[in-house]
Amino acid sequence: MDAAVTVLFLGILIILGNVLSRVFTVTKIPDVLFLIALGIVIGPLLGLVEPSAFGVVGPIFAEVTLAIILFEGGLHITIETLKKAITGTMAITVANFFVVTAISIVIMQYYAGFTLLESCMLGAILGGTSSAVVIPFTNYLNIGKDAKAILALESAISDVVCIIVLLALLDVYKVQDFNIGHVTGNLIASFLIAIIIGVVAGIWWSSVYHKLVNIKSIFITPAFVFIVFGLVSLLGFSGAIAALALGVTFGNLNYFKAEKVLPFLGNDITQVELTPVEMEFFSQLVSLLKTFFFIYIGLSIHFSNMTVIYLGALLTVAVYLARIVIVWCTIPRNIPASDASFIAVMEPKGLAAAVLASMPLNAGIAAGQTIQDVTYIVIFFSILACSVLIFLLEKTPFSRAYRKLFWAFGKEQKETP
């Protein structure tokens, strides 16, 4: 592609990303849905751009976008809300993961001839929810703080669960052995150590970055987020959870005093929060990164095999129906029925699924290409389904019928977000 055309194309995409963010605010139709659709049009349909044109940059988009989205989302989570939401979050995260995996096993073994291990891999890839879709949605929906926290935390924690379980399944494929104790230990270690590193890094950075007067730049904190995310990932733990913990720490510095957590820094420590300008910059950065990455996903979707499309549609429908039961069984009963109904339609797939989708193929799994193709289709269909259901809940009488499914939940009065 000619350099001038490339620059023109990038400029259009950046403007388009900002326009679609505004459309999301007004219509509640996720901008990522339009971006994936655009990728489909200029890629599979018209053949103007191939995913290979992005080279190694394409997959890197996923890691960078995930780090920034989780950090920016953590900035808006208070410790009080975190304490109240963590029980419901862990329950729905674990239940959702296992149910989606079970659905994948049944459908893929019966309809696609997958082995049990291949089906479990697809289940692990699809077992979470997308931070890139869920977190922006929670900012725009009129739901309580507890429901917002549950959804944001679920999307972050489920990414980690999906990554660790898929890596464990790939190890099983390589060595033909499965050790539940080893997998569980890795999962706990990845959570706890990543949280500790993220919190310590946040406290330290809040006490020193404002002293770097000679290199004042709005990019310096994003650079630090990338450093923490990358180092924790290289150590074999969860860079995603570390980025989230870093954001939560910066958003709650009154709870994370340097003299208490890091006494070796001394007692006379000044910690500085992010400025409103920096907060807005992170919001804009999230919008920019999402623009490029979800177009890349659209470019990567294959429509040549209708069986893959049917399987993706069937998985999406089954997962959304199961979500109703999962929410009923796991969400605390003090959550209002209207909030529970919104939680029940929040099952979009996104960044983590897209990143993980290529791993079985790269590892030489026989069904690796099908796993990747089905994953991309489910990402598109699940975001589309989430958008439609949110619209129905907000704008139509469908909401009254849907809320009746959660009649045992709290009263309709909601806490002001």
Side-chain angles (χ1 to χ4, degrees):
M1 185 182 291
D2 184 80
V5 176
T6 302
V7 173
L8 173 65
F9 184 61
L10 291 176
I12 293 173
L13 290 184
I14 292 172
I15 294 174
L16 182 63
N18 284 276
V19 170
L20 291 178
S21 292
R22 177 59 184 167
V23 171
F24 189 2
T25 305
V26 175
T27 66
K28 306 298 191 300
I29 301 175
D31 46 354
V32 296
L33 185 62
F34 290 110
L35 295 172
I36 294 175
L38 176 61
I40 292 173
V41 170
I42 66 176
L45 294 185
L46 300 180
L48 299 178
V49 183
E50 294 290 332
S52 57
F54 284 79
V56 297
V57 177
I60 291 175
F61 271 141
E63 298 291 332
V64 171
T65 306
L66 187 62
I68 292 297
I69 283 177
L70 289 173
F71 175 79
E72 200 266 342
L75 293 173
H76 305 288
I77 299 175
T78 66
I79 294 298
E80 292 83 359
T81 302
L82 184 62
K83 289 177 180 177
K84 290 191 291 184
I86 192 64
T87 302
T89 298
M90 293 307 298
I92 193 173
T93 301
V94 173
N96 194 76
F97 180 86
F98 281 108
V99 170
V100 171
T101 301
I103 290 172
S104 299
I105 291 172
V106 172
I107 291 177
M108 299 309 291
Q109 283 193 297
Y110 184 79
Y111 290 102
F114 273 29
T115 66
L116 177 61
L117 183 60
E118 291 167 343
S119 301
C120 288
M121 287 182 181
L122 180 61
I125 293 169
L126 299 176
T129 58
S130 171
S131 303
V133 179
V134 170
I135 290 177
F137 250 137
T138 61
N139 292 333
Y140 300 138
L141 293 176
N142 184 29
I143 58 177
K145 290 183 179 180
D146 289 351
K148 287 184 178 182
I150 288 174
L151 287 169
L153 290 171
E154 180 197 8
S155 66
I157 295 173
S158 64
D159 285 348
V160 182
V161 175
C162 291
I163 292 168
I164 293 173
V165 173
L166 179 62
L167 291 177
L169 291 173
L170 290 173
D171 286 341
V172 171
Y173 171 77
K174 293 175 184 177
V175 302
Q176 299 298 314
D177 184 37
F178 180 71
N179 187 323
I180 186 65
H182 177 70
V183 174
T184 303
N186 283 346
L187 185 63
I188 295 174
S190 185
F191 269 74
L192 295 181
I193 296 178
I195 290 172
I196 292 171
I197 294 176
V199 170
V200 171
I203 294 171
W204 178 77
W205 189 248
S206 70
S207 64
V208 301
Y209 90 100
H210 58 284
K211 299 178 182 178
L212 306 176
V213 293
N214 294 326
I215 53 171
K216 281 193 173 181
S217 169
I218 202 166
F219 290 99
I220 193 169
T221 297
F224 184 70
V225 175
F226 295 150
I227 290 172
V228 173
F229 183 94
L231 285 177
V232 173
S233 298
L234 287 174
L235 291 173
F237 306 113
S238 172
I241 286 295
L244 178 67
L246 186 63
V248 171
T249 302
F250 256 99
N252 298 270
L253 286 180
N254 56 315
Y255 280 90
F256 297 100
K257 298 296 184 182
E259 59 269 19
K260 294 181 179 179
V261 183
L262 302 177
F264 58 87
L265 293 178
N267 295 324
D268 189 20
I269 300 295
T270 300
Q271 292 174 267
V272 177
E273 298 178 348
L274 296 180
T275 66
V277 173
E278 290 173 311
M279 297 282 282
E280 177 61 22
F281 173 73
F282 271 105
S283 176
Q284 293 296 318
L285 187 57
V286 167
S287 176
L288 178 63
L289 292 171
K290 282 195 320 183
T291 298
F292 290 108
F293 183 73
F294 280 100
I295 288 177
Y296 175 75
I297 290 179
L299 291 172
S300 303
I301 292 177
H302 297 126
F303 290 96
S304 56
N305 189 340
M306 290 304 298
T307 301
V308 169
I309 297 177
Y310 294 147
L311 288 170
L314 182 59
L315 283 166
T316 302
V317 171
V319 165
Y320 268 89
L321 290 175
R323 179 76 172 185
I324 298 172
V325 180
I326 293 169
V327 170
W328 175 270
C329 295
T330 59
I331 294 300
R333 289 296 188 265
N334 63 336
I335 297 291
S338 57
D339 287 6
S341 65
F342 279 113
I343 295 174
V345 301
M346 284 293 186
E347 188 69 27
K349 315 302 175 184
L351 285 172
V355 173
L356 297 178
S358 62
M359 290 185 177
L361 179 62
N362 295 337
I365 303 297
Q369 186 63 60
T370 303
I371 289 174
Q372 185 179 57
D373 293 344
V374 169
T375 298
Y376 286 153
I377 290 293
V378 172
I379 290 172
F380 179 65
F381 282 158
S382 64
I383 296 174
L384 177 62
C386 181
S387 307
V388 171
L389 289 169
I390 289 293
F391 172 80
L392 293 175
L393 286 177
E394 284 205 311
K395 307 292 186 181
T396 72
F398 174 78
S399 60
R400 292 195 295 270
Y402 209 78
R403 283 200 299 268
K404 289 180 180 178
L405 296 172
F406 304 99
W407 56 269
F409 284 73
K411 298 178 180 180
E412 290 302 309
Q413 291 86 7
K414 294 194 290 290
E415 180 183 359
T416 302

